[in-house]
Structure formats: C-alpha cells, structure tokens
Amino acid sequence: MKKTNVMLMTVATAFVLTGCLDGGTPDAGEKITYSKTSAEVYEQSCKKCHGASGEGVKEKKGPALNDRQAEEMELDLYDVKNGGLNQSSGTEHDVMEHNMKKLIEKGYDYDVKDMAKFLEKSFYKKPE
Ligand code: HEC
C-alpha cells in the first residue's frame, strides 16, 4: 500500500516536472473522454465568474485568466482540478477547487492542456 503511494507520487511528480500534464488523474492508463470542448465548457461554466474575455468578474471574485500564457495556465488549471496533488507550485485555490469538483460532477470536465491553449488563444493579452 505504502509502496503504491510512493509510486503514484513519483509518477505525479515526474509528470509535473516534465510539463507533461494531460489533465486527467494519474490513475493507471484510464483514458478520459470529454463530452464538451474547452470552448463550450468555458462558455457554459467558467464565463460567469471569469468573464467573457477572461478578464475576471469582481462580484464573483473570479480572477482574470487572460494574463498568463498556456504553459503557466496549464499549471494553475491543474492545481485547481487536482487539489493538493500538485505541491510544486504551492498555490491555494480552495474556492476554485470546490467549484471545480461541482463542475466536474455536472459534466463540465476538460483537458487541462487544451483548456490552457484555448484560454491563451482566445484571451491572452500580451503585456505592453
Ligand atoms: C462560481 C464562480 C466560478 C466559476 C463557475 C469558475 N470559477 Fe474559477 N475561480 C473562482 C474564484 C472565486 C477563484 C479564486 C479563488 C480560488 O482560486 O480558489 C477562481 C480561481 C480560478 C483559477 C486560479 C486562478 C489563478 O489566478 O491561478 C483558475 C485556473 C480557474 N478559476 C479556472 C476556472 C475554470 C477553467 C472554470 C470553468 C471550468 C472556472 N474557473 C469556473 C470562481 C469561479
């Protein structure tokens, strides 16, 4: 049991270190299919708190998601989805982790890499 845990952590860490984040849980070989595209998920379930252009929504306390490029976004999305699993970045997203669990239960799951690319392509503003 202990050995398995150590193994899983090692695998998870390796994924993080190589930037090879597939967005799913690192459970052995389980292929996840997503019923919605990232664009659909964003439109239907993220927009109301993060803004039509990822600019953030003050009333909902949703932070902007248009200020990061895909690589960084990917890590933040991964954190939000996997809770404490990604300990390398040391971020706290308790509210969003809770939201994400609910959204996944409702079928708004997405591929982290694909969502990060979608956000960059659609909203990313280069610093002037
Ligand atoms: C009910 C409102 C709400 C919805 C819906 C929502 N979020 Fe959030 N989100 C928040 C709040 C509030 C925070 C800031 C607090 C926190 O991080 O826990 C946040 C934080 C985040 C963060 C971390 C922000 C950062 O700066 O790193 C990411 C990434 C994120 N949300 C992505 C999403 C995505 C993707 C969706 C759609 C699948 C989504 N959120 C839907 C309210 C929401």
Side-chain angles (χ1 to χ4, degrees), residues 23-124:
T25 45
D27 286 316
E30 220 181 283
K31 181 105 175 71
I32 304 173
T33 47
Y34 300 95
S35 54
K36 294 180 174 63
T37 65
S38 296
E40 286 166 350
V41 170
Y42 190 85
E43 177 70 27
Q44 294 165 25
S45 72
C46 317
K47 195 167 107 174
K48 65 171 187 273
C49 297
H50 291 286
S53 308
E55 74 278 20
V57 176
K58 265 218 181 75
E59 308 83 77
K60 301 268 189 192
K61 300 192 172 67
L65 300 177
N66 64 357
D67 56 354
R68 263 152 286 176
Q69 283 175 283
E71 290 76 23
E72 206 185 327
M73 197 71 237
E74 206 178 306
L75 289 174
D76 293 329
L77 288 167
Y78 190 79
D79 266 5
V80 159
K81 240 174 114 161
N82 293 279
L85 199 73
N86 177 10
Q87 278 144 359
S88 62
S89 70
T91 49
E92 290 277 349
H93 293 302
D94 295 346
V95 177
M96 192 55 225
E97 278 165 28
H98 173 83
N99 291 344
M100 201 56 236
K101 275 207 194 80
K102 296 269 176 239
L103 290 172
I104 288 173
E105 279 166 22
K106 288 186 196 157
Y108 292 114
D109 201 0
Y110 54 85
D111 180 79
V112 166
K113 215 181 210 36
D114 190 71
M115 179 61 88
K117 276 200 198 115
F118 163 78
L119 290 170
E120 182 189 88
K121 192 171 63 160
S122 317
F123 308 136
Y124 179 63

Side-chain angles (χ1 to χ4, degrees), residues 2-13:
K2 205 148 190 277
K3 255 194 184 143
T4 321
N5 276 339
V6 172
M7 267 289 288
L8 276 177
M9 283 307 294
T10 311
V11 172
T13 309

